[in-house]
Amino acid sequence: MAGRTLLQFFHWYSPDGGGLWNEVTEKAGDLAEMGITDVWLPPAYKGAAGGYSVGYDTYDLFDLGEFDQKGTVATKYGDRNALERATHALTDAGIGVIHDVVFNHKMGADEKERVRVRRVDPDDRTKIDDTEFDALAYTRFTFPGRAGKYSQFVWDARCFSGVDHIEDPDEDGIFKLVTEYGDGEWNTEVDQENGNYDYLMGTDVEFRNMAVYEELKFWGRWLAEQVPVNGFRLDAAKHIPAWFFRDWIGHMREKVDPNLLVVAEYWHPDAEALKAYLDLVDQQLMLFDVGLHQRFHDAAREGGEFDMRTIFDGSLAAEVPDHAVTLVDNHDTQPLQSLEAAVDPWFKPIAYTLILLREQGLPCVFYPDLYGANYTDKGGDGEDHEIDMPAIACLPALVTARQRFANGPQTDVFDDPDCIGFVRHGTDDQPGCVVVMSNGPESSKSFDLGPDQSGQKFRDFLGHREDEVTTDGEGRGEFPVNGGSVSVWVRSELF
């Protein structure tokens, strides 16, 4: 994954109105020039909320903004023609197209069905009542607006394992659907939170139904015939049996592209849990480094009290770097969202430097950090809150620095709780860099770059420092950094 940089080109509050696909088309060339190599797009198919759906309330996987369903033809991000233009613009710019795959559940059923259910203890989903009873549930998806185009598959109660609402009797909760699959139990090879975390929300997909299994494989092949596909981001992986994604990824690589980039969202801060999941899927994918994101959040909140020498402790990047997608924030961690743990803006230049310029991991940049975002939503207190996420001024330069200077072997100098640094030594034909950062006061760090770097002049590529550093006859230099900041020192003639 050397040199690859992923951009999440959306956030939870991306504006309605169908403009995002057009924005992708407009910015594809600039992103490639900056150094972005892959773009993660939001779910491109119709959600239950129609034109207001962020995409995680999956209704019809085969409606890419083409059919009049859920009150709209276009999705929140645009219609199918705009999606096609956007994906081809990325391809023409040499950027990989990464699609968001939301298989765990469906929402917005077209019809109710009479079903048999058992009540489930929400705090321990392994406790399923012995008593079965009849009820009505929204479990039948016929997609009348699409009228069988692309797929004639009808989803009914046999395609699902659980629901969160029933009628006759009218109740909310978690209800296990009684079907021929799994002897009345949830799927295995899922996260063990709440005893068994198969059920998350909506109408929970039953992957043990082979008709469902084949339909989802067919959809993956179909998508690749409609628009460019260079990889997938897999939503809610901790709620989906690992054996399914193990099979599905293998099928996609066999039928679509053996070099697909696949990253799963298994949101767990414990690297050991992530490593166990990687074993279950035969190491076929990458995972978001949740633990490192949490370290960034903590470091930003603690300021100078945080020991920067420990920043990678417990991270996937430290344990299995070839399977780590490193991130600073995403659509779930941004303010007012379900996993809110946003990294404070002052620390983001440091955090992005730590994921963009090091050898370990594939870094993922978040749209608001590149372009900014402003939105209003209700918080946990029920009140409206206006949120401003400022663009990080040095982020474009850091993305470019990854492509130009993050080359060659890496030497870490993590010897001070406030000020740490590292060197990328470069190669015979590619330059390196010297990186220094501080979460405390202004500081500096001494580096011995070797005799071949004697008498060389260095400047801060980020422009945070105006001075110039000159190494001595042995290639040693003292490289300064401002307080609460980061500097990326490169040879002056490379500016």
Side-chain angles (χ1 to χ4, degrees), residues 284-303:
Q284 289 189 79
L285 48 72
M286 305 183 77
L287 295 172
F288 289 106
D289 196 341
V290 183
L292 182 58
H293 158 74
Q294 189 62 49
R295 298 294 286 166
F296 289 158
H297 172 73
D298 294 343
R301 292 297 173 90
E302 294 177 25

Side-chain angles (χ1 to χ4, degrees), residues 93-411:
I95 294 175
V97 182
I98 312 302
H99 293 270
D100 208 320
V101 175
V102 186
F103 282 165
N104 178 73
H105 52 269
K106 297 181 83 66
M107 294 184 175
D110 300 297
E111 300 173 16
K112 290 181 281 190
E113 294 181 292
R114 179 67 61 178
V115 296
R116 299 281 292 172
V117 297
R118 298 160 64 192
R119 293 183 180 89
V120 179
D121 183 342
D123 298 319
D124 183 352
R125 280 80 179 285
T126 64
K127 295 179 179 178
I128 304 171
D129 280 0
D130 293 332
T131 303
E132 299 178 10
F133 61 96
D134 285 340
L136 290 172
Y138 285 91
T139 52
R140 189 169 176 83
F141 293 76
T142 61
F143 317 113
R146 181 160 54 80
K149 187 174 182 180
Y150 304 129
S151 171
Q152 297 184 1
F153 190 84
V154 172
W155 294 69
D156 61 20
R158 294 170 298 174
C159 301
F160 302 103
S161 61
V163 294
D164 58 3
H165 176 74
I166 57 173
E167 296 180 2
D168 190 26
D170 195 345
E171 290 185 35
D172 292 322
I174 300 178
F175 305 92
K176 182 74 181 69
L177 289 167
V178 178
T179 67
E180 62 264 47
Y181 304 106
D183 295 325
E185 302 297 327
W186 298 108
N187 275 283
T188 58
E189 292 193 11
V190 296
D191 192 78
Q192 297 306 299
E193 187 176 347
N194 298 320
N196 177 294
Y197 219 176
D198 181 354
Y199 187 84
L200 175 63
M201 64 176 70
T203 314
D204 190 66
V205 170
E206 177 54 89
F207 296 94
R208 293 169 293 196
N209 181 330
M210 285 298 102
V212 169
Y213 175 89
E214 293 298 333
E215 177 72 356
L216 295 178
K217 289 198 297 184
F218 169 68
W219 175 81
R221 300 193 304 272
W222 172 84
L223 181 67
E225 294 169 353
Q226 312 305 307
V227 292
V229 173
N230 303 106
F232 300 102
R233 179 263 186 187
L234 307 178
D235 183 64
K238 68 194 293 185
H239 309 282
I240 295 172
W243 60 261
F244 171 79
F245 273 143
R246 183 176 62 241
D247 291 358
W248 191 83
I249 295 165
H251 183 74
M252 291 302 104
R253 288 203 170 118
E254 177 185 355
K255 299 297 184 181
V256 175
D257 182 349
N259 298 312
L260 290 171
L261 170 63
V262 182
V263 54
E265 180 219 19
Y266 195 105
W267 203 257
H268 202 299
D270 184 358
E272 293 304 315
L274 300 185
K275 288 159 65 177
Y277 181 75
L278 287 171
D279 289 339
L280 289 174
V281 295
D282 293 342
Q283 313 286 322
Q284 289 189 79
L285 48 72
M286 305 183 77
L287 295 172
F288 289 106
D289 196 341
V290 183
L292 182 58
H293 158 74
Q294 189 62 49
R295 298 294 286 166
F296 289 158
H297 172 73
D298 294 343
R301 292 297 173 90
E302 294 177 25
E305 299 301 312
F306 185 88
D307 188 341
M308 290 293 291
R309 295 171 297 186
T310 69
I311 192 69
F312 288 103
D313 286 5
S315 69
L316 201 61
E319 296 283 339
V320 280
D322 290 345
H323 291 277
V325 172
T326 51
L327 75 160
V328 177
D329 269 323
N330 71 8
H331 62 290
D332 286 325
T333 69
Q334 71 182 103
L336 304 182
Q337 268 310 291
S338 58
L339 301 173
E340 180 177 349
V343 176
D344 293 343
W346 78 269
F347 192 78
K348 284 188 174 182
I350 295 174
Y352 272 112
T353 301
L354 288 168
I355 69 173
L356 284 165
L357 299 189
R358 294 176 61 78
E359 289 182 291
Q360 296 82 6
L362 189 163
C364 183
V365 175
F366 189 33
Y367 179 103
D369 293 334
L370 193 59
Y371 298 115
N374 183 273
Y375 55 90
T376 301
D377 200 0
K378 291 191 181 299
D381 57 3
E383 300 295 322
D384 284 340
H385 295 267
E386 182 176 357
I387 302 297
D388 181 59
M389 297 184 68
I392 305 307
C394 65
L395 185 51
L398 282 169
V399 173
T400 299
R402 175 171 175 79
Q403 298 303 314
R404 293 186 60 189
F405 309 118
N407 304 308
Q410 177 177 294
T411 299

Side-chain angles (χ1 to χ4, degrees), residues 51-67:
Y52 300 100
S53 168
V54 177
Y56 297 99
D57 55 345
T58 305
Y59 168 64
D60 186 359
L61 291 167
F62 290 92
D63 184 357
L64 302 178
E66 183 178 358
F67 305 100

